């Protein structure tokens, strides 16, 4: 029995998966070293999913290491901090590590070389309520470091009766990447302290740490560190199979629970945190250190592959120089070779999502052969961990039949690339899936904008009508007061004025009755003089004011919509951040479903029309 087999423990295989060459040995043998303090750091403001953080500093400000330089904006957002001490020299759109190559706001910091910290204090989380803990983690910039950068505070709390299983994702299944492996080997006890905090915050009944069997030293270190834990905790060794580090795949591997499409793992009693994120939670809570650095693997075509604790914002060029970039490197992958992407340039600053930088050369990564037609071999479906039919998704994406792609669960695709890896026709399937997703999101965005514009217009109409009505009522009340005062006065001048007012009112009422009769209205009395005085007072005033043009039924509909919205707002305000995020996800799913249905309907109509045309052509040909 080899060492790996000896480590194997209970697990529940998921569908599909592939086993690309690991390339872990190049970097896994070197201990983590502190990265360089570059002369200039480019810190992206958008370092978590959700809203970009809001800058708190100005150009020229002097800042200390760990000082918050941008605050979270809204619930789904996280703060950003100065990675070292120095001076802010720019706040401007710059290139960031993103496949689009689009510019995003970054804070450029000129380092003073002193690396002076702000004052750091431990956070007394045991005496803090859930909200205070969430706010603290948000303000310390804690996000998922596995690559998804989901703000961690949104994953704290929410499960009222506690969690069945807290899963710690230490699988690190992508080839080349070894930063989590080294972190576990070298800082296992600090990771376990972080796990203890999470276990208590989430009231987790058990903790399972999933590690692939190609990291036996990490497994030993973690097993030694969990000894003495007072709760149920285990290190589960799973076979090396990509993508076992996908959250859904790891949850299946460790708990045998399948997370269905559109369902959150917390609904099944499971929550998953990356091992590096847990480490930062520990540093933030026990040492008052915000997330200003991360361990990143520098590998590929470099002289000294290894793992570096690098400051966020360090230009990739500085990291490559640190690792001894070779002259024939031609491009650079940010992340792993399966799910990563090529960076637009080495001037971009390291972000919290950056777990690996791979220098590419034509020797290490030969050019991809040209795409050939799909031969429907089904290998992609066999490899897909999400149990999708990638060849169908490819076809629907290529023919821009996005509704059908959605119907076939396009959004369950985790873009792992396993399908493209096995495709004998060299089809870059994930590119087609990303294209389809972006098109669908763009369509949804414009539909949402149109809906919002329509709603705004209707609300405005309603508000204007209401204001007109209220004004008319106010004027009527005022006129009635005046009339009564004049009628009861002993002064002959007042009596004369009252008579004039009455006559004017009667004339106006008659005019109104005449207009109403012409318009076919029957409600107004034909004989205005016979109307009671109070009605006669109100009539001319109401006539003087603009008459509501809004259909009462429509007004009622708008009023009901406004009341519904107010109730929803109140309900939302009472929700926890996680519940809000879940609500948003639910809304999104509904919108997606509606779009899919609309697209399907459109496609059916088009097919019908085509058939009719065909029939017609057949008929005319006969
Ligand atoms: S693996 Fe490639 S060729 Fe085979 S069915 Fe899938 S897309 Fe087509
Ligand atoms: S990229 Fe998407 S479709 Fe392809 S194997 Fe991964 S999950 Fe399946």
């Amino acid at each position: 029995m080899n060492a790996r087999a000896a480590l194997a423990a209970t697990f529940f295989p998921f569908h599909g998966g592939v086993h690309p060459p690991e390339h872990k040995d190049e970097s896994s043998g070197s201990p983590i070293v502190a990265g360089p303090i570059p002369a200039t750091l480019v810190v992206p403001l958008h370092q978590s999913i959700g809203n970009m953080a809001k800058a708190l500093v100005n150009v020229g400000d002097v800042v200390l290491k760990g000082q918050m330089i941008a605050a979270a904006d809204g619930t789904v957002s996280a703060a950003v901090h100065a990675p070292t001490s120095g001076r802010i020299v720019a706040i401007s759109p710059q290139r960031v590590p993103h496949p689009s190559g689009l510019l995003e706001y970054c804070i450029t910091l000129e380092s003073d070389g002193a690396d002076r910290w702000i004052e750091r204090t431990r956070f007394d989380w045991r005496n803090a309520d859930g909200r205070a803990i969430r706010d603290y983690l948000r303000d310390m910039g804690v996000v998922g470091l596995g690559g998804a950068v989901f703000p961690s505070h949104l994953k704290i709390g929410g499960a009222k009766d506690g969690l069945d299983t807290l899963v710690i994702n230490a699988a690190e299944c992508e080839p080349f990447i070894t930063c989590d492996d080294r972190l576990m080997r070298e800082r296992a006890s600090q990771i376990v302290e972080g796990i203890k905090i999470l276990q208590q915050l989430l009231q987790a009944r058990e903790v399972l740490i999933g590690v692939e069997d190609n990291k036996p030293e990490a497994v030993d270190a973690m097993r030694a560190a969990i000894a003495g834990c007072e709760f149920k905790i285990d290190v589960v060794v799973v076979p090396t199979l990509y993508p076992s580090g996908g959250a859904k795949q790891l949850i299946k591997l460790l708990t045998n629970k399948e997370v269905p499409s559109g369902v959150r793992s917390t609904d099944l009693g499971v929550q998953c945190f990356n091992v590096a994120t847990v480490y930062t939670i520990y540093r933030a809570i026990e040492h008052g250190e915000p997330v200003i650095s991360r361990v990143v693997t520098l590998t590929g075509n470099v002289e000294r592959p290894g793992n570096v604790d690098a400051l966020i914002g360090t230009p990739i060029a500085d990291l490559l120089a640190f690792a001894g970039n070779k002259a024939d490197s031609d491009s650079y992958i940010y992340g792993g070779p399966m799910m990563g992407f090529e960076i637009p340039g080495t001037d971009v600053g390291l972000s919290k999502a950056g777990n690996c930088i791979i220098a590419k050369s034509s020797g290490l990564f030969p050019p991809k052969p040209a795409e050939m037609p799909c031969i429907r071999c089904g290998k992609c479906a066999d490899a897909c961990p999400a149990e999708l039919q990638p060849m169908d998704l490819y076809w629907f994406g290529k023919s821009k039949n996005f509704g059908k792609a959605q119907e076939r669960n396009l959004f369950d695709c985790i873009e792992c690339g396993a399908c493209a890896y096995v495709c004998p026709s060299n089809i870059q399937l994930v590119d087609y899936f990303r294209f389809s997703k972006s098109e669908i999101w763009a369509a949804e965005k414009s539909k949402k904008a149109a809906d919002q514009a329509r709603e705004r217009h209707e609300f405005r109409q309603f508000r204007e009508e209401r204001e007109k009505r209220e004004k008319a009522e106010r004027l009527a009340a005022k006129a009635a007061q005046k009339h009564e005062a004049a009628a009861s006065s002993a002064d002959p001048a007042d009596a004369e004025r009252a008579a004039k007012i009455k006559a004017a009112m009667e004339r106006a009422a008659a005019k109104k009755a005449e207009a109403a009769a012409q318009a076919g209205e029957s409600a107004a009395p034909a004989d205005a003089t016979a109307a009671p005085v109070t009605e006669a007072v109100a009539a001319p005033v109401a006539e003087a004011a603009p008459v509501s043009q809004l259909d009462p039924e429509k007004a009622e509909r708008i009023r009901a919509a406004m009341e519904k919205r107010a109730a929803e707002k109140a309900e939302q305000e009472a929700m926890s951040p996680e519940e809000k995020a879940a609500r948003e996800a639910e809304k999104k799913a509904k919108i997606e479903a509606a779009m899919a249905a609309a697209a399907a309907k459109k496609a059916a109509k088009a097919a019908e029309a085509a058939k009719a045309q065909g029939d017609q052509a057949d008929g005319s040909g006969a």
Side-chain angles (χ1 to χ4, degrees):
M1 192 185 285
N2 63 27
R4 284 190 183 183
L7 287 170
T10 312
F11 60 87
F12 308 92
F14 59 87
H15 178 270
V18 292
H19 196 161
E22 293 177 23
H23 285 288
K24 303 266 191 184
D25 293 341
E26 292 93 317
S27 59
S28 65
S30 320
I32 299 168
V33 292
I37 299 178
T40 304
L41 297 98
V42 184
V43 185
L45 285 179
H46 205 185
Q47 295 214 48
S48 67
I49 64 158
N51 295 345
M52 182 176 84
K54 274 188 191 160
L56 297 175
V57 288
N58 294 308
V59 173
D61 286 359
V62 171
V63 294
L64 292 175
K65 178 174 182 157
Q67 181 179 329
M68 192 193 288
I69 53 175
D73 180 18
T75 310
V76 187
S77 185
V80 173
H81 302 78
T84 186
S85 54
R87 201 167 57 89
I88 307 296
V89 293
I91 303 171
S92 56
Q94 300 199 44
R95 289 201 298 193
V96 292
H98 193 272
S100 68
L102 292 175
L103 306 184
E104 279 197 6
Y105 270 90
C106 297
I107 293 183
T108 308
L109 172 63
E110 205 174 70
S111 158
D112 62 11
D115 208 29
R116 274 181 305 136
W117 269 102
I118 46 160
E119 197 187 328
R120 286 161 286 166
T121 46
R122 182 182 170 275
F123 179 66
D124 185 10
W125 61 279
R126 286 178 205 276
N127 291 314
D129 64 14
R131 177 157 209 135
I133 295 167
R134 282 198 292 268
D135 289 352
Y136 179 77
L137 291 176
R138 179 197 64 201
D139 293 344
M140 296 304 263
V142 180
V143 299
L145 296 188
V149 286
F150 188 82
S152 298
H153 63 277
L154 297 174
K155 293 166 84 174
I156 308 285
K160 287 190 188 82
D161 307 320
L163 209 63
D164 289 340
T165 312
L166 167 60
V167 166
I168 306 299
N169 190 344
E172 196 164 53
C173 59
E174 272 251 24
F176 284 95
I177 309 177
T178 58
C179 54
D180 288 353
D181 182 6
R182 287 304 322 185
L183 199 68
M184 285 187 283
R185 290 199 215 180
E186 298 175 38
R187 302 177 193 176
S189 57
Q190 298 186 29
I191 294 168
V192 173
E193 288 305 312
I195 292 174
K196 286 178 186 170
I197 294 170
L198 277 179
Q199 185 270 334
Q200 289 192 45
L201 290 179
L202 294 162
Q203 289 297 298
R205 287 178 274 284
E206 68 167 351
V207 180
L208 296 175
I209 306 165
V211 192
E212 277 192 341
D213 64 6
N214 58 0
K215 306 173 190 64
E217 292 90 347
V219 170
D220 288 346
M222 291 302 289
R223 283 195 169 146
I226 61 171
C229 276
E230 286 162 357
F231 50 89
K232 203 175 159 207
I233 180 165
D234 199 4
V235 176
V236 182
V237 182
V238 298
T240 298
L241 182 73
Y242 177 83
S244 54
K248 283 187 180 185
Q249 286 67 43
L250 191 63
I251 288 169
K252 169 76 171 84
L253 273 167
L254 303 190
T255 67
N256 203 21
K257 288 181 179 172
E258 304 217 14
V259 185
S261 178
V263 172
R264 298 172 308 160
S265 68
T266 34
D267 297 333
L268 304 180
V270 185
Q271 186 67 278
C272 189
F273 282 84
N274 172 266
V275 70
T277 314
V278 178
Y279 173 74
T280 58
I281 288 173
Y282 163 75
R283 298 300 308 180
I285 286 187
E286 294 296 343
H287 295 271
E289 284 178 13
V291 183
I292 54 160
S293 70
R294 66 154 302 143
V295 181
V296 54
T297 303
L298 306 176
T299 186
N301 197 41
V302 295
E303 303 282 356
R304 297 175 293 280
N307 288 283
V308 172
D309 196 350
L311 297 176
I312 300 298
T314 305
I316 303 304
D318 289 49
L319 292 174
L320 288 165
F322 189 77
N325 191 18
K326 292 184 187 168
D328 62 335
S329 298
D330 47 28
S331 56
Y332 305 94
I333 302 176
Y334 199 72
M338 302 295 283
M339 293 185 77
F341 55 87
E342 285 188 13
I343 47 172
T346 56
D347 54 332
V348 301
L350 179 73
S351 67
K352 293 175 187 175
N355 53 3
C356 183
I357 293 150
I358 308 172
K360 283 175 80 179
S361 66
S362 53
L364 198 57
F365 290 88
K368 285 177 185 154
E371 276 189 20
M372 288 181 289
C374 170
I375 54 170
R376 306 287 299 177
C377 65
K379 284 189 177 176
C380 51
D382 293 342
C384 178
E387 300 189 49
L388 302 173
Q389 299 289 318
M391 63 281 196
D392 292 346
L393 296 178
Y394 155 69
W395 177 247
F396 293 135
K398 201 174 174 185
S399 57
K400 300 195 176 175
N401 194 345
F402 304 124
K404 275 275 178 215
Q406 265 188 288
E407 265 177 40
R408 303 289 179 90
N409 300 319
L410 170 71
F411 283 92
D412 282 356
C413 167
I414 57 169
E415 300 178 16
C416 67
C419 51
Y421 180 75
V422 297
C423 177
S425 294
N426 308 309
I427 302 172
Q428 297 308 302
L429 293 156
V430 184
D431 291 346
Y432 291 93
F433 307 154
R434 285 184 183 146
F435 168 71
S436 301
K437 285 181 185 176
S438 63
E439 288 293 300
I440 292 165
W441 283 124
E444 191 205 315
K445 216 170 157 188
S446 52
K447 184 182 174 293
K448 208 169 164 185
D451 286 350
Q452 277 174 348
R454 199 193 61 246
E455 261 180 38
R456 269 203 309 274
H457 172 72
E458 287 188 353
F459 282 148
R460 189 168 150 225
Q461 232 184 341
F462 176 74
R463 199 189 60 241
E464 283 173 0
E465 294 300 332
R466 191 186 55 197
E467 281 168 7
K468 281 178 198 168
R469 196 177 55 247
E470 285 169 0
K471 192 176 169 193
E473 282 165 8
R474 276 200 308 277
L475 287 171
K478 215 169 162 186
Q481 250 178 5
K482 255 191 189 172
H483 176 72
E484 272 170 27
S488 59
S489 171
D491 187 340
D494 282 345
E496 193 185 330
R497 206 177 305 131
K500 277 183 184 169
I501 291 171
K502 194 179 175 204
M505 288 190 305
E506 284 169 357
R507 275 197 308 278
K511 203 170 155 194
K512 186 177 181 244
E514 194 186 330
Q518 271 174 10
E521 287 178 11
S522 57
D527 181 4
T529 52
V533 171
T534 48
E535 282 178 34
V537 168
V541 178
E543 189 188 36
V547 178
S548 170
Q549 296 299 314
L550 202 60
D551 174 354
E553 258 183 51
K554 193 171 182 187
E556 194 47 48
R557 271 205 313 276
I558 295 172
R559 195 195 322 279
M562 284 178 81
E563 279 168 8
K564 194 173 161 212
R565 171 165 283 206
E568 278 172 2
K569 203 175 163 201
E571 195 190 338
Q572 261 183 14
E573 272 163 14
M575 280 179 177
S576 72
E578 200 177 37
E579 283 169 335
K580 279 183 191 169
R583 170 67 63 90
E584 280 305 310
E586 199 182 310
K587 263 193 202 165
K588 203 182 267 183
K590 276 186 186 163
I591 292 169
E592 282 169 14
M595 284 179 67
K601 209 169 156 189
K602 199 175 162 193
K605 262 191 183 171
E608 239 174 62
K611 191 172 175 292
Q613 260 185 358
D615 291 348
Q616 212 177 9
D618 287 347
S620 54

